[in-house]
Amino acid sequence: RAALLTPQARKGLYAVGLAAAGQVTLGITTLLFYVPLSLAAAHQVGSILVFSSGIYLAHSLRYARPALIRSMGRVASKTPTPPTTIATP
């Protein structure tokens, strides 16, 4: 059976996950040390890394198998939507 994700999409998922985890860790460390300039600057550079890896992931998912896209549509259609109420005065 063929994999639903391409190797590039898998690398993109790993990159986004690692970059986001690193960014969270760096942000918490920055706050715990009362925002030293070097850590604050590194946190800003980390945001560029998260953004770039997100772009890479979006690009690589463009070439994912159609079965993945269909399965995501099924998952989205199974999630219940909360009822909307309109308040009338």
Side-chain angles (χ1 to χ4, degrees), residues 20-31 38-46:
Q23 185 72 349
V24 167
T25 304
L26 191 56
I28 291 171
T29 305
T30 301
L31 292 176
S38 60
L39 283 178
H43 185 65
Q44 293 299 316
V45 171

Side-chain angles (χ1 to χ4, degrees), residues 8-88:
Q8 292 83 8
R10 185 162 293 139
K11 287 178 191 175
L13 283 172
Y14 290 144
V16 168
L18 285 173
Q23 185 72 349
V24 167
T25 304
L26 191 56
I28 291 171
T29 305
T30 301
L31 292 176
L32 288 176
F33 284 105
Y34 299 106
V35 194
L37 187 59
S38 60
L39 283 178
H43 185 65
Q44 293 299 316
V45 171
S47 68
I48 295 171
L49 183 66
V50 172
F51 182 70
S52 299
S53 59
I55 290 174
Y56 177 80
L57 175 62
H59 177 72
S60 63
L61 283 176
R62 185 173 180 200
Y63 302 105
R65 296 201 179 260
L68 174 68
I69 307 300
R70 285 193 300 272
S71 67
M72 290 175 68
R74 276 188 245 128
V75 169
S77 65
K78 288 181 182 179
T79 56
T81 57
T84 57
T85 58
I86 300 173
T88 55

